[in-house]
Amino acid sequence: MRLRDAVRMRDVVRRRSPRVESVFAGRVCSELADDLPDEDLGEYLYDCIDMYRMGSKPRCEEVEYLGMVQEAIDRLEQGC
């Protein structure tokens, strides 16, 4: 096996199928919805951050909410 072939094989092994990514994203969003049952989470978590109005919750709840949403976004981006 040549080096070029080894690099291609490594890239194939690292990639996930769209179905696996979709299942993973659904699981992350489901876990977040379980942790935040009273929140109306949209399809895209970035919208939760972008559309959030600062001061609409008590400060401690606000920090916790934004932190949990950001953590879920980070998990999706990192794939873990």
Side-chain angles (χ1 to χ4, degrees):
M1 183 186 313
R2 294 181 299 191
L3 178 61
R4 187 176 78 204
D5 294 333
V7 171
R8 286 185 188 154
M9 182 59 75
R10 185 186 70 216
D11 291 341
V12 169
V13 171
R14 283 187 189 171
R15 290 187 195 133
R16 293 183 181 181
S17 70
R19 182 171 183 267
V20 171
E21 289 180 3
S22 175
V23 169
F24 176 70
R27 186 175 42 151
V28 170
C29 291
S30 177
E31 289 172 7
L32 183 62
D34 288 344
D35 291 340
L36 300 169
D38 296 335
E39 299 299 328
D40 183 20
L41 302 173
E43 183 177 348
Y44 302 103
L45 294 180
Y46 286 111
D47 290 346
C48 293
I49 301 265
D50 292 340
M51 305 297 275
Y52 183 76
R53 284 182 322 169
M54 295 302 284
S56 64
K57 297 179 187 266
R59 180 76 176 136
C60 60
E61 289 179 25
E62 188 171 71
V63 169
E64 183 178 18
Y65 169 78
L66 294 173
M68 291 174 83
V69 172
Q70 187 61 52
E71 183 179 308
I73 290 171
D74 293 343
R75 283 182 62 200
L76 289 172
E77 288 176 352
Q78 295 170 2
C80 57

